[in-house]
Amino acid sequence: MLKINSNYKQLKDSYLFYETAHRLADYQKEHPDKNVIKMGIGDVTRPLCPAVVDALKKASEEMGVAETFRGYGPEQGYDFLREKVRDYYAEREVELELSEIFISDGAKSDCGNILDIFSKDNLVLVPDPVYPVYVDTNVMAGRRIIYMDANESNDFLPGPGEFEPGTSAEDAAEGPDLIYICSPNNPTGAAYDREQLKEWVDYANEKGAVILFDAAYESFAEGDDIPRSIFEIPGARTCAIELCSLSKTAGFTGTRCGYTVVPHDLVRDDTELNALWLRRQTTKFNGVSYVVQRGAEAVFTPEGRMQIKENIDYYKENARVIMDALEDLGIWYTGGVHSPYIWFKCPEGMDSWTFFDFLLKEAGVVGTPGQGFGNNGEGFFRLTAFSTRENTEEAMERLKKVLAK
């Protein structure tokens, strides 16, 4: 008799965005003329920059001519794009070999797919609050999960040994095998500095663990003290895999392209993890399309980077508008400076869903309840800076008006 993967039955319902959409739909049905400003979903609103669009058009035309048509490409990505990624890292004095760079269809996919090369018996450590993909993909595989204790007292930047209450003494002493770190973080927007990230690198090397470092928001990081890659930290090449995406950097949420870096120095059980990932990709993945990779290549050109910076700066100014409003209201928050996400404490002791309803009904603004990201998210709320400037400013005026009552 056929058997299914029963681990899927252990998944919690992904109700967060379904529930927010449901409550919004009910409200708009009752108030069809109300202008609701949506600042909950972390999707970009600025279009692809002209340099990328031109490259996509040119590559599409190439695919329509026999002399320049391309079929299957290398599963690891075309060298013309991997060379651009290598040069991008070199600007931060991170030296990579082309064979350590793997082009993918985005960080979300690789966050799940990378688990193919690890045993299901590994113990996994994720932050709480957390990007749900980290948890769900490991539940699907049947792995045990323990949680970092990210909270207001540590600015939602837990260090090694800061486990959530209830973690067994045995698990805490033995330590995890896989560690998920996202910096700048989704959902909290908090970012580790060099000293903090070095503590994690040293811890992972000591325990023989592997850090899965999600750098999807690296382009929002400001200043020399906030690493944009974990490989800027000494010792990271022997304990880390980095996953990055062009979704937020260059508006590729609907175009789909990213990259994963697996150093040759990362060896476990006498085996290079790079070799295992290469085998996995060449077996299960046919690579990102040529057209999309040409568009991604344009992201790293001088023209493309100048245009993309304009979009990033636009979102960062939106974040500043949100932060200014919260400061005027005396509300504790983190994020915004190095991230498109602003994570703040719900005012007047409201829980996350109560504040969601209050903000929707009283101000006509939609955000994301922190409780949906884990136990430690209760009592907190996330807004994104991906809206228009006009909507962001209007939303903050509404927020200040209803909270000043």
Side-chain angles (χ1 to χ4, degrees), residues 42-220:
D43 196 1
V44 296
T45 55
R46 306 282 287 177
L48 295 172
C49 74
V52 170
V53 173
D54 289 344
L56 291 171
K57 289 179 178 177
K58 180 180 178 182
S60 296
E61 291 171 354
E62 289 179 29
M63 294 296 283
V65 178
E67 289 77 12
T68 52
F69 171 79
R70 296 180 186 237
Y72 290 123
E75 294 91 344
Q76 311 94 304
Y78 286 100
D79 282 355
F80 62 75
L81 178 54
R82 294 203 291 170
E83 287 169 359
K84 286 290 193 296
V85 174
R86 180 191 61 190
D87 294 344
Y88 182 64
Y89 275 85
E91 293 175 10
R92 286 166 279 160
E93 299 184 353
V94 174
E95 301 299 326
L96 298 177
E97 298 180 28
L98 283 191
S99 57
E100 295 176 320
I101 300 167
F102 297 80
I103 306 302
S104 73
D105 59 353
K108 182 177 182 179
S109 299
D110 278 2
C111 276
N113 293 335
I114 196 72
L115 296 174
D116 281 3
I117 69 174
F118 298 107
S119 167
K120 69 176 184 179
D121 296 325
N122 288 310
L123 180 65
V124 180
L125 177 65
V126 299
D128 180 2
V130 64
Y131 178 47
V133 171
Y134 305 159
V135 174
D136 289 353
T137 50
N138 281 287
V139 171
M140 290 172 181
R143 293 188 183 86
R144 285 198 308 118
I145 301 171
I146 58 176
Y147 294 87
M148 307 175 202
D149 192 14
N151 54 61
E152 185 179 354
S153 65
N154 59 26
D155 294 323
F156 287 90
L157 292 169
E162 293 187 74
F163 299 107
E164 202 166 67
T167 304
S168 72
E170 181 180 357
D171 285 343
E174 184 176 341
D177 302 299
L178 293 173
I179 302 169
Y180 282 84
I181 295 177
C182 179
S183 181
N185 185 265
N186 178 18
T188 70
Y192 285 106
D193 63 26
R194 292 183 182 278
E195 182 178 350
Q196 291 169 320
L197 207 51
K198 183 65 164 63
E199 291 179 6
W200 276 111
V201 167
D202 291 345
Y203 176 78
N205 278 319
E206 176 189 346
K207 296 292 186 180
V210 172
I211 295 172
L212 300 178
F213 189 78
D214 186 345
Y217 303 93
E218 57 87 17
S219 60
F220 286 83

Side-chain angles (χ1 to χ4, degrees), residues 3 17 34 57 65-66 144 192 226 273 324 344 382:
K3 295 182 179 180
F17 294 108
K34 185 75 173 183
K57 289 179 178 177
V65 178
R144 285 198 308 118
Y192 285 106
I226 304 298
L273 298 193
D324 285 349
F344 63 94
R382 190 190 77 173

Side-chain angles (χ1 to χ4, degrees), residues 390-403:
E390 295 75 17
N391 279 347
T392 302
E393 291 174 346
E394 172 64 20
M396 292 305 98
E397 287 302 316
R398 295 182 189 181
L399 177 68
K400 287 191 287 185
K401 183 177 179 180
V402 298
L403 291 179

